[in-house]
Amino acid sequence: MNRLEAMREHFVNPSAEYSPLPFWFWNDELSRDELIRQIRDFHEKEVDGFVLHPRMGLPRSLPYLSEPFMELVDSAVAEADKLGMKVILYDEGMYPSGSACGMVVKTNPEYASRGLQIRELSCKAADGIHEFPIALLPGETLISVQAVRKASPATIDPERTVVLEPANNRVRFAPSESGEWSVLLFVETYSRGTIRGIHAGQDDGEPDAPLAADLLNPDAVQAFISLTHDRYYEKLSRYFGTTVIAFFTDEPDLLGRGHIEGLKPWTRGFLDEFLAGGGAEKDLPLLWYAAGAQSVHTREIYDTAVRNRMARTYYKRLADWCENHGIGLTGHPAGSDDIGLLQHFHIPGQDVVWRYIAPEKNKGVTGVHSTMGKCSSDSARHRGKRRNMNEAFGVCGIEGGWSLTADNMKWYLDWLFVRGVNLISPHAFYYSIREERRDERPPDVGPHNIWWPEYARFSRYIKRMSWLMTDSANEAEVAVLAGEASLPWRLVKPLYERQIEFNYLEDELFRGSCDCKDGMLEIAGYRYRAVLVDGERQPDPESWNRLEAFCRQGGVVIELVNERGGLKDIGQIRVSQAEAAADALARELDVHSWLEPASPAIRISCVKKDDCYFYVLVNEGEDEYEGAFGMKYAGYAEFWRPWTGQCEAVRIKERQEGQAAAVRIERRECLIVAVDPSREPVRGDVALNEWTMTEDLSSGWRVAAGPRTGDLPELESWTNWDGMGHYSGTVAYENIFDLDHPGKWEQIELDLGEAHEFVRLEVNGREVGCQMWKPYRFGIGRELKPGLNVLRVSVTNSLANRYDGKSLPSGLLGPVRLRGAGLK
């Protein structure tokens, strides 16, 4: 068996290691038997693990982390262990992480989240000396008192700021010149922020919502660890490092939800940290008021100080605890581009939620959220982490609620995989959808949805792609310089659209972990010949000096100049538009892959795994692509189709730039071109199928099963039928047609046109298959017979019609066509 054959076997039948690990919402009264039944159901669908997530809906009779709760946890983990499944423990009840469902603050009220508040006292020069009392509430601390001269309601003149010294809980100030003046009190106070809890009455704005903890306070974080992590370890230590593989921490919020407006994250003694980072006490007003570049600089100092403190007191402490107990830290910070905060994660992550990215309106490559896929994968690449994950699908239906489709789930998965994500955590599988539970961040994307009977198809797809994107390295030669919380998206949009692969490279890693040799940057096994710099975010002097050295050695630096003008000349290529940066890269670098004709909807990643090359082609658009795909690496090639597991040899045509193959990439398709450079290619031209017979089957349909039956005058959404405007369920359609000599065609395909949304096809009483998104095409040549043939199409529509009161298009809409190719 050659190496590609061995890898093909791993691809077709991937290990359970690469299984999806869904969020499993524990959101109702729980029973041990039902928990075990659901785990076994997961396992039957090839879902070989889960994230155990306490969720809103648990009864108060089952307190968070209580012994009865932990007994159920133990039973669930024990069952997972028996089945060889993996478990990630969620560290909160419910989210954001860090408060142990309010128990941290109950342990010590001083551990509640804190912030810096500005209190403004107006005064005028004409009024002479002003004297104000300083009144503080219990637990508050006065950090500074300053007088500022305001140029407008939102701006100040920082050169005239005066730091005042209060005495006897009063402050006196006499303006030295005319103008509008204010005395500002900077007060450290409790934020009054909360988290979403797990019991009724503990949601946002409700009286029993658990108080958020001060995550910048190491003592509060230690209390969180003692209450949560130590408690789980006490109960489950025998499974740590085997069945239990990680703790998941979820977008910790320094101020909590619903906090007092206008606060900045703060904690006791933080002024010293702000000063040590380059700030000054008299700069504090600039955190609220604008003063040109000086306020921008001050906020950068403050943000850096906060992030460094949080990384040190929260993320590193959690990571150290996990490492010391034989597991990893996973989860994600709050921001889609928070790449710097992923430093301490053993499995860095992000989350696709709220349809911030989506197939429509080019949202996959526009906006800050479009960076999140590569945020986690590029952090993992450059920091030597084997896996990176994404919590995907939460509240991602196009109309909210239960409107998420399998079609969109497939698009999201492809979007993540081609960007390098290799661990998928679907949000979410619900223990219960009873009453209000079904409306809590819906939908259930697992057992309570229409695709669950066929979910093993999703599991296998996720495993195949996760296997491919693990223990492999992409062949990107372009690095895009990034800040710790700033990933340029405008600069890279044309790169996606022209199939120029790149990786985000953090400033910190560029300065401290990259080697520069012979015009090549090297880090963690990745080698870059070009670096792109977005002028909107200026690199620090040390980074710019390193870029200058890179240029001198022959490296390519391309700067996207902003309207303020370019940076210092170091030999870089300056461009004023992102498209021009892509043009410059095309001129300066060798082409790794190309499409003829070009297509802005196709994404390509080339990864190397075990000395073979794999081109991952993803169609993010709505139209089928047909053309030639060219590749730099030559050798024996195969098409691997990860949704079905089908693999086939590819005929190759040699080109000066490499080799090319004819490809057809359907809507919602991911196609892999696997290349073994140690073997000779199969040469020759291949013509894609051309349909020479087409027969319209859009008429003559009848409803054979459903709420109503009978002949149909035409195909239309069943929401137009009487009494079915909000029906969710299955309707079976039948059509009988006559076909002479079906055996004369090499291939016969049935195209159902438009359908919504889960389709199962039978031909002459035999099931052919199912399809969950357009194109609804089935090869049926083997099932046909001369004369009369019977089609039975069972369509199941979205649950949004039932649960959300929607009236989304439903059923078989057509047009339905039978097509033949390859006349024998």
Side-chain angles (χ1 to χ4, degrees):
M1 181 181 292
N2 61 53
R3 63 187 176 191
L4 193 61
E5 289 174 341
M7 296 175 76
R8 187 194 308 132
E9 177 61 28
H10 287 296
F11 170 77
V12 174
N13 300 297
S15 162
E17 174 187 2
Y18 306 102
S19 168
L21 299 178
F23 270 41
W24 184 20
F25 284 4
W26 284 21
N27 64 350
D28 206 333
E29 295 182 12
L30 306 176
S31 77
R32 179 182 180 276
D33 289 346
E34 178 60 15
L35 290 170
I36 289 174
R37 186 200 68 77
Q38 291 193 19
I39 291 170
R40 292 174 179 174
D41 193 18
F42 297 170
H43 186 60
E44 288 176 1
K45 302 299 190 299
E46 301 185 33
V47 177
D48 292 305
F50 49 83
V51 180
L52 196 161
H53 185 9
R55 197 76 181 186
M56 182 71 68
L58 282 172
R60 288 186 180 269
S61 60
L62 191 66
Y64 180 56
L65 300 181
S66 64
E67 187 58 26
F69 175 87
M70 295 304 296
E71 283 294 325
L72 292 170
V73 170
D74 185 87
S75 296
V77 175
E79 184 65 22
D81 182 69
K82 289 179 186 177
L83 297 174
M85 299 168 73
K86 302 302 180 186
V87 176
I88 294 176
L89 300 171
Y90 191 88
D91 68 5
E92 189 51 81
M94 172 166 78
Y95 74 87
S97 290
S99 85
C101 200
M103 290 190 290
V104 170
V105 179
K106 289 179 180 178
T107 299
N108 185 339
E110 293 190 359
Y111 290 164
S113 167
R114 302 179 73 80
L116 188 64
Q117 186 178 51
I118 187 172
R119 298 175 184 173
E120 182 177 2
L121 307 170
S122 298
C123 52
K124 296 181 180 179
D127 295 337
I129 297 175
H130 297 262
E131 184 170 330
F132 302 101
I134 299 174
L136 299 178
L137 297 174
E140 293 185 337
T141 302
L142 184 65
I143 300 300
S144 180
V145 182
Q146 302 183 30
V148 296
R149 186 174 184 271
K150 299 180 72 173
S152 75
T155 61
I156 63 171
D157 181 353
E159 300 301 321
R160 289 172 168 76
T161 298
V162 180
V163 177
L164 306 176
E165 293 294 335
N168 300 319
N169 295 322
R170 302 185 72 82
V171 62
R172 291 166 56 90
F173 173 65
S176 60
E177 56 184 284
S178 63
E180 183 180 348
W181 288 81
S182 289
V183 171
L184 306 178
L185 307 182
F186 296 91
V187 179
E188 179 188 319
T189 187
Y190 292 118
S191 75
R192 302 181 194 171
T194 59
I195 73 163
R196 300 186 71 208
I198 59 173
H199 303 307
Q202 291 188 332
D203 211 341
D204 291 337
E206 296 183 331
D208 196 29
L211 285 173
D214 180 1
L215 304 184
L216 298 178
N217 180 343
D219 294 334
V221 174
Q222 184 55 52
F224 171 59
I225 291 172
S226 298
L227 289 163
T228 305
H229 300 67
D230 289 347
R231 179 73 172 115
Y232 276 108
Y233 187 73
E234 175 188 7
K235 195 70 175 178
L236 304 172
S237 59
R238 64 195 184 279
Y239 300 115
F240 270 55
T242 53
T243 300
V244 175
I245 61 171
F247 258 111
F248 189 109
T249 199
D250 198 357
E251 53 187 50
D253 188 331
L254 293 177
L255 293 172
R257 300 167 69 89
H259 59 79
I260 297 172
E261 291 186 7
L263 297 185
K264 304 294 183 184
W266 203 262
T267 193
R268 297 190 189 279
F270 189 67
L271 179 62
D272 292 337
E273 201 148 336
F274 175 67
L275 300 179
E281 183 179 348
K282 67 181 299 184
D283 292 336
L284 289 176
L286 300 179
L287 299 180
W288 283 267
Y289 291 101
Q294 190 171 344
S295 58
V296 172
H297 180 63
T298 297
R299 293 171 192 180
E300 287 176 350
I301 291 172
Y302 165 79
D303 289 342
T304 298
V306 170
R307 295 171 66 83
N308 289 344
R309 174 93 175 203
M310 189 178 189
R312 186 174 72 250
T313 62
Y314 186 79
Y315 290 114
K316 188 176 189 305
R317 282 171 174 259
L318 267 58
D320 288 347
W321 189 96
C322 289
E323 195 163 322
N324 292 335
H325 291 78
I327 63 173
L329 174 66
T330 190
H332 58 86
S336 295
D337 54 356
D338 267 338
I339 194 168
L341 288 178
L342 294 175
Q343 172 184 356
H344 297 294
F345 285 80
H346 301 99
I347 307 172
Q350 271 293 339
D351 62 337
V352 169
V353 293
W354 295 106
R355 210 172 179 89
Y356 291 140
I357 60 165
E360 69 272 6
K361 299 178 182 178
N362 221 15
K363 289 166 71 173
V365 291
T366 57
V368 65
H369 298 295
S370 70
T371 67
M372 72 171 64
K374 290 188 69 62
C375 180
S376 61
S377 65
D378 291 348
S379 174
R381 286 179 171 117
H382 294 145
R383 295 187 183 275
K385 311 294 176 63
R386 183 168 177 260
R387 306 293 296 275
N388 76 99
M389 61 81 62
N390 194 281
E391 170 199 339
F393 315 137
V395 202
C396 279
I398 192 167
E399 294 193 27
W402 286 73
S403 65
L404 179 68
T405 60
D407 173 292
N408 278 187
M409 286 206 305
K410 177 59 161 58
W411 185 91
Y412 283 118
L413 288 171
D414 290 347
W415 188 93
L416 291 166
F417 288 134
V418 79
R419 287 160 174 80
V421 175
N422 60 15
L423 197 164
I424 302 297
S425 185
H427 178 297
F429 290 11
Y430 289 36
Y431 177 90
S432 169
I433 59 169
R434 185 171 64 91
E435 298 174 348
E436 70 278 0
R437 290 161 182 82
R438 77 178 186 214
D439 298 322
E440 202 275 302
R441 302 296 190 262
D444 179 320
V445 299
H448 296 99
N449 220 310
I450 63 174
W451 47 73
W452 185 243
E454 298 292 337
Y455 197 85
R457 296 172 184 259
F458 273 111
S459 296
R460 286 192 288 271
Y461 178 69
I462 290 169
K463 287 192 285 186
R464 288 171 184 142
M465 293 304 299
S466 297
W467 168 83
L468 180 61
M469 305 311 287
T470 302
D471 301 324
S472 58
N474 72 356
E475 291 289 296
E477 293 186 328
V478 178
V480 177
L481 210 57
E484 60 182 10
S486 175
L487 302 181
W489 65 266
R490 292 181 181 84
L491 181 57
V492 303
K493 179 176 177 287
L495 306 190
Y496 282 123
E497 294 174 336
R498 293 173 60 172
Q499 297 83 44
I500 300 174
E501 194 160 16
F502 70 92
N503 292 330
Y504 286 119
L505 177 61
E506 299 166 62
D507 269 335
E508 177 189 353
L509 295 178
F510 174 59
R511 292 191 303 268
S513 301
C514 282
D515 291 328
C516 183
K517 298 177 181 177
D518 302 323
M520 192 78 73
L521 287 179
E522 299 183 7
I523 176 173
Y526 292 86
R527 293 163 55 85
Y528 302 112
R529 294 180 54 204
V531 177
L532 269 58
V533 179
D534 190 336
E536 288 293 323
R537 193 196 63 83
Q538 296 192 5
D540 61 44
E542 184 180 350
S543 294
W544 201 244
N545 290 338
R546 295 215 72 192
L547 285 172
E548 184 173 14
F550 177 59
C551 274
R552 286 200 304 267
Q553 292 184 10
V556 177
V557 175
I558 301 174
E559 177 195 356
L560 178 60
V561 178
N562 66 20
E563 56 190 26
R564 296 191 301 270
L567 301 171
K568 183 182 74 170
D569 187 3
I570 59 170
Q572 75 269 41
I573 299 171
R574 290 192 173 104
V575 297
S576 59
Q577 294 181 331
E579 290 76 10
D583 292 338
L585 287 171
R587 292 192 303 268
E588 298 291 332
L589 304 184
D590 294 334
V591 176
H592 269 261
S593 60
W594 64 93
L595 294 170
E596 296 176 357
S599 172
I602 304 297
R603 311 286 171 255
I604 298 178
S605 176
C606 177
V607 299
K608 184 178 182 182
K609 187 179 176 81
D610 295 344
D611 294 323
C612 289
Y613 296 95
F614 298 87
Y615 291 91
V616 180
L617 286 70
V618 165
N619 186 349
E620 290 184 6
E622 296 301 314
D623 299 314
E624 177 184 274
Y625 175 83
E626 185 175 314
F629 169 63
M631 60 207 97
K632 171 184 175 181
Y633 297 109
Y636 173 79
E638 292 182 347
F639 285 157
W640 290 7
R641 303 183 189 277
W643 182 252
T644 62
Q646 294 175 325
C647 303
E648 62 199 62
V650 179
R651 290 187 178 274
I652 291 299
K653 188 171 184 179
E654 293 180 340
R655 299 278 191 93
Q656 183 176 357
E657 309 94 326
Q659 61 185 29
V663 296
R664 175 182 287 140
I665 311 172
E666 291 183 344
R667 174 187 179 276
R668 297 295 182 270
E669 184 175 16
C670 171
L671 175 67
I672 297 165
V673 183
V675 179
D676 183 350
S678 70
R679 298 168 61 193
E680 287 294 311
V682 177
R683 297 177 174 85
D685 290 327
V686 175
L688 298 174
N689 288 335
E690 292 188 10
W691 305 107
T692 55
M693 180 272 286
T694 300
E695 184 171 339
D696 193 302
L697 299 179
S698 300
S699 60
W701 289 89
R702 62 181 296 271
V703 175
R708 57 161 279 186
T709 58
D711 294 340
L712 293 175
E714 61 179 348
L715 294 175
E716 62 176 351
S717 173
W718 73 52
T719 56
N720 296 329
W721 303 349
D722 290 343
M724 294 187 64
H726 303 293
Y727 173 75
S728 291
T730 301
V731 170
Y733 302 77
E734 284 190 356
N735 193 327
I736 301 174
F737 68 98
D738 192 1
L739 183 66
D740 293 332
H741 308 300
K744 69 181 180 181
W745 304 99
E746 294 281 355
Q747 183 178 355
I748 296 180
E749 177 182 87
L750 179 68
D751 186 341
L752 296 176
E754 186 177 350
H756 299 280
E757 66 179 274
F758 183 95
V759 172
R760 195 177 298 276
L761 174 67
E762 297 174 50
V763 178
N764 295 324
R766 181 172 175 178
E767 183 169 325
V768 174
C770 67
Q771 180 64 282
M772 298 183 236
W773 51 80
K774 189 178 179 179
Y776 291 94
R777 296 173 182 162
F778 300 84
I780 63 171
R782 294 182 180 180
E783 316 303 328
L784 297 176
K785 60 185 181 182
L788 296 179
N789 291 268
V790 180
L791 300 176
R792 185 180 177 96
V793 179
S794 299
V795 184
T796 305
N797 71 330
S798 171
L799 289 169
N801 286 10
R802 179 192 306 167
Y803 292 152
D804 302 331
K806 302 290 185 183
S807 190
L808 302 178
S810 302
L812 178 62
L813 278 65
V816 181
R817 293 188 175 92
L818 191 70
R819 305 191 299 185
L823 191 62
K824 292 180 180 179

